Amino acid sequence: MLVYIVTLILSLMCAYASDKVAGTGNENSAAAGKKLRIRINRFSRTIIRLKGNPFADKSIFLAFLSFLPLYIVSAIRYMVGTDYSGTYRTIYNYTYNDGWHFSFNGETLYGLLNKIASIYSGDNYIGVFALSSLVVIGFIFWGLRNQSVNFTYSVLLFVLSGYYFWSFNAVRQMAAMAIFLYAYRFVEERKPFKYLFFIILAYGFHTVALLYLPVYFIGKVKVNFPAIISGAVILVIFPTTWRDLAYGISSRLAVFSTYVERYFDSSKFSSYTESSLIHVLINALFLALYIVISLIYDKKREKSNVWINFQIIAFGFSALASILPLANRLSRMFSIMQILSIPVMTGLISDKRIRILINLAIIICFAMYSYVTFYVLGYHDVFPYRTIFNR
């Protein structure tokens, strides 16, 4: 555990310095954020053109330093993560022994990532985890530094809410989710072709990314509180209807259909359902919190509408956990946006004392969740931590 704590502290120190230099993480975050996006775009062009110093901007350089500790710990892990040995080592060996046929279940880019790793590391599969960690942590940090109103807080939420640890296991899905989180900026900027490009990129890592296509219009859907209550009632009264709908979409899009078929009528389904109940509670609490904040501090829902919509979707999927196998995986696809939305929503609270108390409660609850889930119960096998140097 000490490794993760020290890593998080180092990352937060650099993130805080980046916020200070950029002027984000305070009441002036919106204005500072717009200027920062211009500087990040300049940084991206410098990288692509291989001309000039991409780290001339101190805030971006400090954000890069914040990225490094979490990336390194993820990249050099050994036998950490439930699917490390079984799924991902199998995929690597399959790709390594099959020449240039690098497609695996249609997720071509992940297969290509394995092929690139095999060129440099031969039959040693360790290199693919360094590359996949670069995709996941890289896009997460790129998206957070570009979009978060409080970069430090978002980095903290990324770790405490469990997504960092979950990325050690669900590598392909987290890669797709990380790319989506970055691509969301193009939803706000109304740039459909750029958004589509990155969703196709995410699809190359996991077919589940197809579910992100309609998200481009999520901001256009106005929140209707009576409709939310009615939907919740229907979900409770007719749960199998929602399950059949979700399964039908999953089968047609080849998204999670094999998972669903494998977990139905199995002992794994019941155990997975029990472990998913906490996600239902978390998403329900955040949905309620967002609605209350919206009613009090953002009555026109100019800033809260889109985040409430994300939370509705996340809650809806998690509420299907008792009847739809792996529903919490679908829920996580949208609840990951909490690492962007929580700083925005709590930032709407005008009373500083209330804002601090709510943020403190959120941090404590997420810290307890991660401690119990990953350390005490041992989910996803992220403890004990081992590196490639002490295998």
Side-chain angles (χ1 to χ4, degrees):
M1 177 176 287
L2 183 61
V3 172
Y4 295 126
I5 293 175
V6 171
T7 300
L8 177 59
I9 291 173
L10 290 174
S11 182
L12 290 177
M13 288 172 61
C14 295
Y16 180 75
S18 178
D19 266 331
K20 282 295 183 182
V21 172
T24 50
N26 53 46
E27 289 78 3
N28 301 314
S29 291
K34 291 181 180 179
K35 295 180 180 178
L36 181 62
R37 287 192 184 187
I38 296 174
R39 284 157 29 202
I40 291 177
N41 289 336
R42 190 181 301 126
F43 164 81
S44 302
R45 290 193 295 269
T46 303
I47 290 287
I48 294 172
R49 296 172 183 173
L50 298 177
K51 184 178 180 181
N53 180 9
F55 294 114
D57 189 302
K58 291 182 179 179
S59 65
I60 297 175
F61 177 67
L62 289 166
F64 173 74
L65 292 181
S66 177
F67 150 84
L68 280 179
L70 291 173
Y71 165 69
I72 292 172
V73 167
S74 177
I76 66 172
R77 72 187 191 276
Y78 177 71
M79 300 301 289
V80 177
T82 304
D83 291 342
Y84 186 103
S85 177
T87 301
Y88 294 107
R89 186 162 62 178
T90 301
I91 293 175
Y92 182 84
N93 291 333
Y94 167 84
T95 308
Y96 174 71
N97 294 317
D98 201 32
W100 281 102
H101 180 66
F102 47 73
S103 177
F104 185 86
N105 286 346
E107 293 155 359
T108 307
L109 288 181
Y110 185 73
L112 180 59
L113 202 72
N114 279 264
K115 177 54 65 177
I116 293 172
S118 70
I119 293 174
Y120 293 99
S121 54
D123 60 356
N124 190 336
Y125 56 87
I126 294 173
V128 74
F129 291 98
L131 290 178
S132 59
S133 296
L134 182 63
V135 173
V136 174
I137 313 300
F139 271 104
I140 288 289
F141 268 73
W142 198 6
L144 294 183
R145 183 60 285 184
N146 211 305
Q147 301 172 76
S148 178
V149 298
N150 190 325
F151 180 54
T152 309
Y153 194 9
S154 288
V155 171
L156 179 64
L157 290 170
F158 171 55
V159 176
L160 293 187
S161 62
Y163 288 101
Y164 178 65
F165 299 113
W166 198 56
S167 71
F168 289 5
N169 181 28
V171 176
R172 287 172 294 156
Q173 185 175 342
M174 267 303 299
M177 291 162 58
I179 294 171
F180 163 71
L181 186 139
Y182 169 75
Y184 181 71
R185 59 172 292 192
F186 301 117
V187 175
E188 292 187 329
E189 295 172 6
R190 311 311 297 169
K191 295 179 179 178
F193 294 108
K194 287 187 177 182
Y195 179 71
L196 179 62
F197 169 79
F198 280 100
I199 296 306
I200 294 174
L201 193 68
Y203 175 76
F205 285 93
H206 206 296
T207 54
V208 75
L210 288 177
L211 296 180
Y212 284 133
L213 287 174
V215 170
Y216 189 79
F217 306 100
I218 195 170
K220 298 294 184 180
V221 179
K222 296 299 181 183
V223 172
N224 186 308
F225 294 128
I228 296 174
I229 297 173
S230 301
V233 171
I234 293 173
L235 184 63
V236 173
I237 298 176
F238 306 106
T240 54
T241 302
W242 290 95
R243 180 198 59 191
D244 294 341
L245 177 62
Y247 181 62
I249 295 173
S250 172
S251 298
R252 288 183 176 276
L253 298 179
V255 177
F256 280 141
S257 56
T258 55
Y259 286 94
V260 172
E261 291 168 0
R262 188 198 320 162
Y263 277 87
F264 262 131
D265 301 322
S266 70
S267 59
K268 287 184 178 181
F269 181 26
S270 59
S271 63
Y272 215 102
T273 299
E274 291 166 6
S275 68
S276 301
L277 294 179
I278 185 64
H279 297 286
V280 181
L281 178 60
I282 290 174
N283 284 314
L285 288 175
F286 275 113
L287 178 57
L289 176 64
Y290 286 9
I291 290 175
V292 170
I293 291 176
S294 172
L295 290 173
I296 298 175
Y297 301 103
D298 188 32
K299 294 181 179 180
K300 294 183 178 180
R301 292 189 282 282
E302 295 177 349
K303 295 182 178 180
S304 60
N305 186 81
V306 67
W307 303 122
I308 293 176
N309 284 340
F310 269 116
Q311 201 53 43
I312 290 171
I313 299 172
F315 170 72
F317 276 122
S318 63
L320 294 172
S322 63
I323 55 175
L324 183 67
L326 299 182
N328 66 329
R329 278 204 169 197
L330 296 174
S331 175
R332 280 193 179 102
M333 290 175 56
F334 299 94
S335 62
I336 192 175
M337 298 304 283
Q338 289 169 359
I339 63 179
L340 282 175
S341 64
I342 289 174
V344 174
M345 294 301 296
T346 57
L348 293 174
I349 302 173
S350 56
D351 190 309
K352 188 175 181 179
R353 289 174 298 179
I354 296 177
R355 183 169 68 245
I356 291 174
L357 286 174
I358 290 178
N359 282 324
L360 187 60
I362 290 172
I363 292 171
I364 292 173
C365 288
F366 270 139
M368 292 175 60
Y369 161 77
S370 288
Y371 175 76
V372 173
T373 301
F374 301 109
Y375 186 73
V376 177
L377 299 179
Y379 284 173
H380 303 299
D381 296 319
V382 298
F383 289 97
Y385 178 78
R386 287 178 290 178
T387 73
I388 57 176
F389 305 110
N390 59 7
R391 52 178 170 161

